[in-house]
Amino acid sequence: MEKLIIKGQHPLNGEIKISGAKNAALPILAASLLNSSPIQISNIPHLQDVTTIVSLLGQMGVRITLDERSNIEVDAGKLNSFHAPYELVRTMRASVLVLGPLLARFGQAEVSLPGGCAIGTRPVDQHLKGLRAMGADIRIENGYIKATAKKLNGATIVMDIVTVTGTENIMMAAVLAKGQTIIHNAAREPEVEDLANFLNTMGAHIRGAGTSTLIIEGVDELGGGRYQVLPDRIETGTYLAAAAITRGKIKLKNTRPELLESVLLKIEETGAFIDTGPDWIMLDMKGNRPRAVNISTAPYPAFPTDMQAQMMAVNTVAQGTGVITETVFENRFMHVQELQRMGAHIALKGNTAICTGTDDLHGAPVMATDLRASASLVLAGLAAKGETTIDRIYHIDRGYECIEEKLAQLGAQINRLPSDSKE
């Protein structure tokens, strides 16, 4: 099993480019099932999760062509399967996003109940509630969602909780439904808006993207076209946190500052000097130790749960005490125990972590437990004295494109240890 080896206390300095957003690319690729014409999608990140959904689509008969510039052509004109097997879906929750498109276009779908990171209960009940309201017959049998519908009909759907993938699944299904669908309490994340923009480019009629109410007028079919995936705001935030924790100075290109205003505000509270342009962000710690910050996670536009672990890592070496409250997932503090192995002073009280910074964080062997937790361990390793070894880094590869190469470009001492290495 591959590992990352990090020798800490080297301030990051330089420029890197941000990749396309994983959480936008995955639903957009799933949405290609709605279309019988070829679609060209650019700015697709090279990630394990993208490989997984491409494999899933390929098994269904979708023709996929990838070029050296991260562009994908997807042709779902001739599907021969409506089955999403457990072997693929268990590794990535976003695989459930094929449910809505298959049901809307072909009237049938058989999709395994999803897996992914073990960060808490993320049921698909809101997905199924919305699809049933549109006329789908849905059964859960032997771990699979089995759905059929002669024709989906528009409906008014009130989501009981804010759910990104639930909003996306219902929105995709509604695009080809008969009549109007209104989704209340919809997710407002930029990735949801990007999916809506993609669908509209293909001929859908969606209004309200980026707000809590989506209005979708069903159409008979979608057409082909080209689309560029938006930049990854979580990757952007992770590298900003990496610069803050190492007291460095970096510039991130090919990003969009307006996508992570809540993150920028918190990182500024650490003492960072931040400047932005239309597609870049510059951060300079001026060699200073960061200050501790208080954070409470919540759905967009509030502070994202996907940046909680990274900012906790910053707090481990910061001046003062920071309190982090996790309100989105009930099991998203699994990185705490690993950070404590490195000398972090963190106390847990329910869904709250109280972290008092130390200037004596030290390298240690640690284990990644989920995608964003693994990023927090990388950041801690960058700041710690000595050497840190991070095991189970397949979690990192699910969401960060070439992370060791990008960090090395910024001056980090980081290497990937092949799985067959004896160290």
Side-chain angles (χ1 to χ4, degrees):
M1 190 174 294
E2 292 185 329
K3 303 176 183 180
L4 285 179
I5 310 296
I6 303 172
K7 294 181 180 178
Q9 299 202 318
H10 295 274
L12 300 188
N13 191 287
E15 298 182 357
I16 57 171
K17 292 182 179 179
I18 295 301
S19 302
K22 173 184 84 91
N23 289 338
L26 298 178
I28 286 172
L29 287 168
S32 67
L33 291 167
L34 291 164
N35 202 322
S36 61
S37 301
I39 305 164
Q40 288 79 42
I41 308 169
S42 61
N43 204 30
I44 295 286
H46 292 287
L47 299 171
Q48 185 56 49
D49 276 8
V50 172
T51 300
T52 298
I53 200 160
V54 165
S55 298
L56 176 58
L57 295 176
Q59 284 193 16
M60 293 178 178
V62 178
R63 185 176 62 82
I64 298 173
T65 307
L66 175 67
D67 69 19
E68 68 281 357
R69 296 183 179 180
S70 299
N71 301 316
I72 286 182
E73 180 176 278
V74 184
D75 185 351
K78 296 180 179 179
L79 258 67
N80 53 32
S81 173
F82 311 105
H83 177 75
Y86 170 75
E87 291 72 24
L88 287 175
V89 179
R90 71 181 177 86
T91 66
M92 186 185 67
R93 179 178 174 77
S95 300
V96 77
L97 288 170
V98 302
L99 176 62
L102 286 175
L103 193 57
R105 183 173 164 207
F106 301 102
Q108 59 179 306
E110 185 173 306
V111 180
S112 172
L113 289 167
C117 286
I119 58 176
T121 303
R122 295 188 288 177
V124 295
D125 59 318
Q126 296 302 300
H127 305 234
L128 306 187
K129 169 189 169 182
L131 294 172
R132 283 180 173 130
M134 298 168 70
D137 178 61
I138 299 175
R139 307 182 315 280
I140 306 295
E141 294 181 0
N142 303 318
Y144 279 82
I145 304 166
K146 298 183 178 181
T148 57
K150 289 184 178 180
K151 178 67 176 178
L152 293 178
N153 296 299
T156 297
I157 299 162
V158 181
M159 309 294 277
D160 295 332
I161 58 172
V162 176
T163 161
V164 172
T165 53
T167 299
E168 291 169 339
N169 233 338
I170 296 168
M171 176 169 63
M172 288 187 285
V175 163
L176 295 183
K178 182 179 179 180
Q180 183 184 83
T181 298
I182 301 175
I183 306 174
H184 293 291
N185 200 27
R188 300 168 57 187
E189 272 71 5
E191 295 79 15
V192 176
E193 186 173 0
D194 207 41
L195 174 62
N197 291 340
F198 166 77
L199 291 168
N200 284 339
T201 299
M202 302 302 123
H205 295 160
I206 302 171
R207 291 178 285 138
T211 75
S212 59
T213 301
L214 293 175
I215 302 172
I216 305 108
E217 304 289 345
V219 297
D220 291 333
E221 62 180 5
L222 299 181
R226 297 176 181 270
Y227 194 77
Q228 179 171 303
V229 174
L230 89 170
D232 196 316
R233 62 192 172 101
I234 303 302
E235 185 194 28
T236 301
T238 299
Y239 285 113
L240 291 173
I245 201 172
T246 62
R247 312 184 191 187
K249 178 181 179 180
I250 66 170
K251 184 176 183 179
L252 305 179
K253 300 181 291 186
N254 290 17
T255 189
R256 285 171 51 185
E258 75 274 12
L259 299 181
L260 61 162
E261 291 179 353
S262 62
V263 173
L264 293 180
L265 289 172
K266 283 298 173 183
I267 292 181
E268 280 186 319
E269 284 185 27
T270 70
F273 294 85
I274 293 178
D275 192 15
T276 64
D279 60 356
W280 57 268
I281 302 173
M282 189 277 291
L283 179 148
D284 188 357
M285 289 299 293
K286 298 188 181 297
N288 296 322
R289 183 182 178 187
R291 296 191 294 266
V293 294
N294 299 327
I295 288 169
S296 180
T297 65
Y300 190 85
F303 193 90
T305 180
D306 279 354
M307 277 298 300
Q308 174 257 109
Q310 298 91 310
M311 290 306 295
M312 185 182 295
V314 175
N315 274 351
T316 64
V317 300
Q319 300 178 60
T321 297
V323 178
I324 295 180
T325 303
E326 174 60 56
T327 72
V328 179
F329 294 118
E330 75 277 7
N331 194 29
R332 207 164 198 180
F333 282 149
M334 290 187 291
H335 47 283
V336 168
Q337 184 175 356
E338 301 303 301
L339 291 171
Q340 288 170 335
R341 288 173 51 79
M342 301 176 69
H345 300 157
I346 306 171
L348 288 181
K349 295 184 178 180
N351 67 335
T352 298
I354 304 166
C355 182
T356 301
T358 176
D359 58 4
D360 194 32
L361 208 63
H362 49 79
V366 292
M367 184 175 295
T369 54
D370 63 69
L371 172 53
R372 305 308 173 184
S374 65
S376 75
L377 300 180
V378 171
L379 267 58
L382 293 172
K385 299 174 184 177
E387 185 174 279
T388 297
T389 302
I390 305 175
D391 206 349
R392 294 175 65 182
I393 61 170
Y394 58 84
H395 286 294
I396 296 175
D397 294 334
R398 289 186 53 227
Y400 291 94
E401 182 176 34
C402 305
I403 189 169
E404 73 273 18
E405 295 176 19
K406 290 187 178 183
L407 287 171
Q409 287 179 40
L410 297 172
Q413 300 297 302
I414 180 171
N415 292 288
R416 182 178 291 249
L417 197 68
S419 56
D420 58 354
S421 173
K422 303 297 184 182
E423 294 190 63

